[in-house]
Each structure stands twice: as structure tokens, then as C-alpha cells.
Amino acid sequence: MAEELSSAYKVRGRVKWFDPAKGYGFVVADEGGPDILLHVNVLRNFGQSSVADGAAIEIMTHRTDRGVQAVEVVSIVPPERPETVLLSDFAEMDPDAIRAAPLEPARVKWFDKGKGFGFANVFGRNEDVFLHIEVLRQSGLSDLQPGEALAMRVIDGKRGRMAAEVLAWEAALNS
């Protein structure tokens, strides 16, 4: 590990794809070159179990005989999305009011990427908070694992309490 850190170098790029079920994905460096392996354990050390395709990412990398791989995630910025409201729950809400909602600590109860939704619980409350896949994508995530710690902006949607923004716990601490 000490050898890895002594030869590590910082790279900025975009997530080409990441599959939490496989446990890895690849990053394309802004300056070109070979794809860079991003293992789920490196991502977990940053506090996330997934990352959205197209997200801007800054990583520390190390060249090995098998190619270049990430050894540390420095930062992740969600992919740019059109400023259109994707969910009807947000259509009549003021975007500034949504952004002004406090970040609340929560834990994932369950999430099914195939179904496109799941639920989390805000610490200290029994109620379920709805998590929609599009909100995850806008937040730069692609999947969630049961028990994963999050910070969420929660609103009262048409169908009850729902997350309007989701951040990995560690990312929220740095906000």
C-alpha cells in the first residue's frame, strides 16, 4: 500500500459506467488515456456504494501491470441534467424551497434499482421516506444498499414524504 501511495497521481475525468452488482466500473480521464478501474471498495471509502454514469470525478490513481486503477476518490460531482422537473411531485414546488430544505440524516431501508424506488428512514423517526431512482441520478448516485447512511432533503410530496435530494453521508458532512 505504501508503494501505491508513493506512485499515486491525481486524475480528473468522468464515470464511463459503474455497476454496483459487479462491484466495479470505469473512469475516462479528461486528458485521455486508458480507462481507469474504479472498484466499489474505493468508492465505499469515499462513503458511497454507487456513482452515476457521467458523473465528474477526481481520483488518485496508480498504474499497475494490469492497468490504471483508482486508489482514492477525492470528489464526485453529479452529471449535468436538464433543469426540468422530472417528477410530478416537484412540478408545483419552488426549486429554491426544495434546495432550502435541511439535510436530514437517514439510513436506507431497502432500494430496488430494477423497480426504480425504495425507502429510507430519517434518524429518530419511524416514517418511511420514498426514494425515487431519478432523484438518485440527479444526486449523482445509481443505487443504494440496505443500511447505507445518507443525508436527504425531504419534502411532502403528493404521495407522502419523499427525498428531493440524496447525498452520501460523508459528502453531506463536507457540504
Side-chain angles (χ1 to χ4, degrees):
M1 184 68 175
E3 181 184 317
E4 273 186 21
L5 294 177
S6 67
S7 63
Y9 56 98
K10 192 180 285 187
V11 172
R12 288 191 174 123
R14 296 238 170 243
V15 176
K16 183 175 185 178
W17 62 266
F18 187 84
D19 186 337
K22 291 181 178 179
Y24 67 92
F26 289 93
V27 172
V28 177
D30 288 348
E31 68 270 1
D35 289 354
I36 301 164
L37 176 69
L38 176 60
H39 193 271
V40 70
N41 288 338
V42 173
L43 197 54
R44 284 186 184 135
N45 287 340
F46 182 70
Q48 292 184 203
S49 63
S50 71
V51 62
D53 297 350
I57 190 167
E58 188 172 6
I59 52 179
M60 297 301 293
T61 63
H62 175 70
R63 185 172 302 279
T64 70
D65 52 351
R66 295 182 65 194
V68 181
Q69 55 186 284
V71 293
E72 179 185 357
V73 175
V74 177
S75 67
I76 296 174
V77 177
E80 292 183 20
R81 304 254 184 229
E83 283 295 322
T84 58
V85 176
L86 297 174
L87 299 176
S88 62
D89 295 77
F90 305 133
E92 297 171 11
M93 296 190 74
D94 177 7
D96 291 331
I98 294 172
R99 283 189 287 276
L103 284 171
E104 300 185 58
R107 198 160 296 280
V108 177
K109 188 172 181 180
W110 65 268
F111 189 84
D112 186 324
K113 186 176 180 179
K115 291 180 180 178
F117 70 92
F119 292 91
N121 297 112
V122 172
F123 291 140
R125 297 189 191 151
N126 293 328
E127 68 191 10
D128 288 344
V129 175
F130 182 73
L131 296 166
H132 193 278
I133 188 75
E134 286 303 321
V135 172
L136 285 189
R137 288 182 183 136
Q138 286 180 329
S139 300
L141 300 167
S142 64
D143 202 355
L144 297 171
Q145 303 302 313
E148 190 170 343
L150 305 171
M152 305 184 308
R153 295 190 200 283
V154 180
I155 63 160
D156 290 315
K158 293 177 180 177
R159 296 164 287 200
R161 305 271 291 157
M162 67 181 295
E165 182 180 10
V166 178
L167 299 173
W169 181 248
E170 285 79 1
L173 292 175
N174 298 327
S175 304

